[in-house]
Amino acid sequence: MTWHILGAGSLGGLWAARLARAGVPVRLVLRDPAALARYRALGGLTLVEEGDSHLYPIPAETHATDTPIQRLLLACKAYDAEAAAAALAPRLAPGAEIVLLQNGLGSQDAVAARLPRAHCIFASSTEGAFREADFRVVYAGRGHTWLGIQGEEQAPAWLDDLRAAGIPHQWTADILAKLWRKLALNCAINPLTVLHDCRNGGLRAWPGEVAELCAELAALLEHAGQAEAAEDLHGEVLRVIDGTAANYSSMHQDVARGRRTEIAYLLGHACTQAERLGLTLPGLDDLLQRLREHLAARGLPVT
Ligand code: NAD
Ligand code: KPL
């Protein structure tokens, strides 16, 4: 079974290279003929691991190719996911499996609503990768990927492809708990690193602000039916701040490079859900307001 991978960026490239070198059939789905021409001129996708680079001549196509897709890895940013899924909808075979690698929450439901006949598998990853150049990806941090369909205990047989490819992963019947927990961690850390213009460790100078946000995020998780994901949230946030003290958060890196952030699917989603649940969370609302002003002042989208 061929894996089509849409989004030959950081995580999509990382998955594509590992699957391809394990002998799993992979095809990249690129945005347009210009991207395809640039890719072909380079001769494939390069993965850099521990300083060693290797070129993988993975076949590629554009959306316009008309062969059916049975298995798709959607590896674009959350704000591109719905449009990307809609563009590929006519090519999806009945019962196609789509793995959604997007961080945060909100985009997965938008994709699933667009593709009611597909099996959408949600994923939450702590692996780290970045694009050094076009179609050149650096594997920057080992991590783990949780995959699941909410309430589905039985892992699909095709997870064997990930095992063969050495992609660290685990199936879970409670993928929403994993996604909510990561969203809460990201909401407690990332916006503050942007506003205080600091590395994650710099947040040690703002213990009161971090504690207040964690208390509000834990209340949100509990009201959203995610009591387990709320457990010891503050403790884990402090451990992540210490464990990644020298790093800049992903949102800080996006803002520093003038790139659009996934704010709508992280802090924006948290505030929208709080409002829907009738919860007043002044610290999170104020953080969202300040973050939007900060982004707007730099000409970046605020949603
Ligand atoms: P990225 O920007 O490096 O790659 C996304 C790719 O998707 C880009 O190459 C873009 O051109 C492509 N794309 C967008 N729309 C497309 C379309 N319609 N057709 C074809 N290609 C299209 O992004 P990333 O860092 O790989 O992040 C993907 C998701 O994974 C995000 O939600 C991110 O938060 C999450 N994530 C990333 C990392 C990481 O280390 N990079 C870690 C954990 C989670
Ligand atoms: O995931 C992260 C990110 O930077 O996006 C961490 C390191 C957990 C900080 O929130």
Side-chain angles (χ1 to χ4, degrees):
M1 182 73 72
T2 298
W3 283 75
H4 283 81
I5 298 188
L6 180 141
S10 314
L11 274 200
L14 180 60
W15 278 56
R18 291 179 295 183
L19 286 166
R21 76 178 167 207
V24 176
V26 177
R27 292 187 73 82
L28 299 174
V29 183
L30 304 182
R31 212 184 262 280
D32 52 33
L36 187 58
R38 286 200 310 279
Y39 176 76
R40 288 193 172 144
L42 290 167
L45 179 86
T46 299
L47 178 65
V48 183
E49 266 177 297
E50 290 164 3
D52 289 335
S53 62
H54 192 91
L55 178 72
Y56 297 89
I58 298 168
E61 62 192 38
T62 64
H63 297 195
T65 307
D66 57 9
T67 47
I69 295 177
Q70 177 63 46
R71 184 164 304 141
L72 174 68
L73 177 71
L74 202 62
C76 54
K77 296 282 194 185
Y79 47 74
D80 283 328
E82 188 180 355
L88 287 189
R91 293 184 56 190
L92 295 180
E97 294 115 8
I98 309 185
V99 178
L100 306 176
L101 263 187
Q102 287 64 46
N103 199 12
L105 279 161
S107 70
Q108 300 87 348
D109 285 344
V111 169
R114 284 265 179 187
L115 309 173
R117 291 189 309 145
H119 295 293
C120 289
I121 294 108
F122 296 7
S124 178
S125 182
T126 59
E127 291 204 291
F130 64 89
R131 263 182 303 163
E132 200 171 51
D134 240 12
F135 307 113
R136 186 178 173 90
V137 172
V138 179
Y139 189 8
R142 308 224 165 253
H144 189 84
T145 301
W146 291 96
L147 300 129
I149 295 174
Q150 192 64 19
E152 177 65 62
E153 300 283 351
Q154 183 68 43
W158 52 259
L159 284 192
D160 283 348
D161 286 350
L162 306 194
R163 201 162 300 121
I167 297 173
H169 70 281
Q170 201 169 324
W171 184 261
T172 171
D174 196 1
I175 186 67
L176 287 180
K178 304 287 179 206
L179 284 160
W180 268 110
R181 178 74 166 195
K182 178 131 195 291
L183 179 147
L185 281 168
N186 286 164
C187 286
I189 297 174
N190 299 11
L192 285 181
T193 64
V194 171
L195 294 172
H196 294 304
D197 189 15
C198 65
R199 295 174 197 265
N200 293 352
L203 297 186
R204 290 168 180 144
W206 308 93
E209 231 178 335
V210 172
E212 185 201 2
L213 289 177
C214 288
E216 290 193 6
L217 286 161
L220 171 60
L221 292 178
E222 277 159 17
H223 280 77
Q226 297 293 338
E228 216 172 291
E231 270 172 34
D232 190 30
L233 178 64
H234 188 210
E236 190 176 352
V237 165
L238 296 179
R239 286 191 290 280
V240 171
I241 287 174
D242 281 344
T244 61
N247 299 354
Y248 284 109
S249 74
S250 54
M251 188 178 271
H252 187 285
Q253 292 179 42
D254 284 339
V255 175
R257 290 177 188 144
R259 289 196 195 136
R260 183 174 178 182
T261 68
E262 294 182 301
I263 175 176
Y265 305 89
L266 297 166
L267 187 55
H269 185 82
C271 291
T272 310
Q273 292 307 305
E275 199 183 331
R276 193 179 64 81
L277 294 164
L279 264 182
T280 306
L281 300 174
L284 281 180
D285 286 340
D286 178 64
L287 185 68
L288 180 61
Q289 177 66 23
R290 285 192 289 150
L291 184 60
R292 284 184 169 154
E293 283 166 12
H294 187 94
L295 297 178
R298 283 152 187 79
L300 292 170
V302 299
T303 55

